[in-house]
Amino acid sequence: MGPCTAEKLTDKVYWVGAIDWGVRDFHGYLTSRGSTYNAFLIIDEKITLIDTVKKPFMNEMLSRISSVIPPEKIDIIVSNHAEMDHTGCLPEVINAVKPKKIYASAMGKKALAAHFHFEDDVVTPVKSGESISLGESSLSFVETRMLHWPDSMVSYLDTDKVMFSQDGFGMHLASTERFDDQLPAYVLKQEAEKYFANILLPFSPMVTGLMKKLEDLNLDIELLCPDHGPVWRSDIAGILNSWKEWALQKSSRKAVVIYDTMWKSTGMMAEAVADGLVSQGISVRVMPLSASHRSDVATAVLDAGALIVGSPTINGQMFPRMADVLTYLKGLKPKNLIGAVFGSYGWSGEAVKHVEQFLADMKIPLAAESLNVNYVPGIEDLKKANHIGVAVGKELVEKCPE
Ligand code: FEO
């Protein structure tokens, strides 16, 4: 079957996933450090596979399973999440393994049927609070609707105190290290934050609800096993707490200035805006879109208090990269931001109005009057741009007392 081996995580649980060193585009998200698709094998009287992997990685997973048991011995498959990075090879695996039972949430059963056109008796639905006996151990389920798909659920193995959390608490990070404490803390922070900003942000209120639900359940979790990135064993409290904090989307004395530029006019204004922000003690991240990916902008916005946007007008529109980034950000529904808009133009200048509309749709109030400069900004224009930064900075300082 291949040379890949499983990694033992606990008495009963093995990691049998796949490492994708090369993936860089995950439906629009720049996965600079690759990813893993984690699947887990539980060895008990009923041998159970938790989730599968992206289709091209099926053999890698089967090879890891084969290093523990022949795959045909799997009795149960649990699908915690129907997205294809975890189910792409499910029909083939079902064919190869012929499990006695396949479990998913009711919404998962529906989603799997819509993906793979399964007959109605293929998947057995389970609800929050239900559990199944695997022999010595039992596996219980908690539905986590819209985190981040309607079908999502997590499973908990009582004997080994393991929570399988599908996308929850995960990150896109390819590594041969399997546990959080084997990787640098700053890498974990960067990638977990990026994952939250790009995948979970629109569902922040539901994350807050889930965190409360998990607290109420008071499960003893010794190992937290997401479907991407490392397994948490040392800093479980840390990642749970980070999610709780990120979901609140608190304002802060940080500003993100995104801009695109044709002949450096809007670029010069961006520098002047940043200077004004700095004069008020604001920490500023200037992100020219020629060098900033939409998913990095989303990550920067996660803990910021202001989003300031600059675009030239081209053929009556904002710059295409700006339209891309604003469309993406609008979908992520960031909250508690204030904003401002600037730009430059030759003969019409519609971009500023179009950007203002985006910010209005995103419920980002403007903290300063927009600035639209004909061709190249002069010294007075740059002073006005600086004043935008000052005005936004003053409002942030007022909003976020130290
Ligand atoms: Fe990792 Fe939502 O799939």
Side-chain angles (χ1 to χ4, degrees), residues 256-260 266 269-270 273 287 289 297 301 306-312 318 322-323 325-326 329 338-344 351-352 354-356 358-359 362 364 366 370-371 388 392:
V256 179
V257 180
I258 57 172
Y259 74 92
D260 215 333
T266 309
M269 294 161 80
V273 169
M287 305 187 83
L289 297 189
V297 173
V301 165
L307 175 67
I308 304 169
V309 183
S311 176
M318 70 180 82
M322 186 57 75
V325 168
L326 289 180
L329 283 180
I338 59 172
V341 183
F342 60 96
S344 57
V352 163
H354 293 168
V355 172
E356 281 177 348
F358 257 101
L359 296 197
M362 291 164 75
I364 300 177
L366 300 184
S370 301
L371 178 62
I388 288 181
V392 174

Side-chain angles (χ1 to χ4, degrees), residues 168 323 335:
K335 291 196 172 47

Side-chain angles (χ1 to χ4, degrees), residues 26 81 83 85-86 148-149 166-167 172 195 199 227-228:
F26 202 97
H81 178 26
E83 193 163 4
D85 47 333
H86 312 295
H148 70 120
W149 272 24
Q166 42 94 21
D167 283 342
H172 287 306
Y195 193 87
I199 307 283
D227 274 355
H228 300 289

Side-chain angles (χ1 to χ4, degrees), residues 209-266:
L210 171 69
M211 301 316 286
K212 172 87 180 59
K213 194 164 166 185
L214 289 181
E215 272 171 23
D216 293 347
L217 285 172
N218 201 22
L219 296 169
D220 187 3
I221 302 170
E222 282 184 2
L223 218 57
L224 182 57
C225 295
D227 274 355
H228 300 289
V231 165
W232 299 93
R233 70 176 170 191
S234 293
D235 197 19
I236 295 174
I239 186 67
L240 294 178
N241 208 40
S242 293
W243 269 51
K244 230 163 124 177
E245 279 297 308
W246 292 329
L248 296 176
Q249 296 196 50
K250 287 183 191 152
S251 189
S252 75
R253 291 187 181 188
K254 290 185 188 172
V256 179
V257 180
I258 57 172
Y259 74 92
D260 215 333
T261 195
M262 194 184 305
W263 295 108
K264 303 276 189 292
S265 291
T266 309

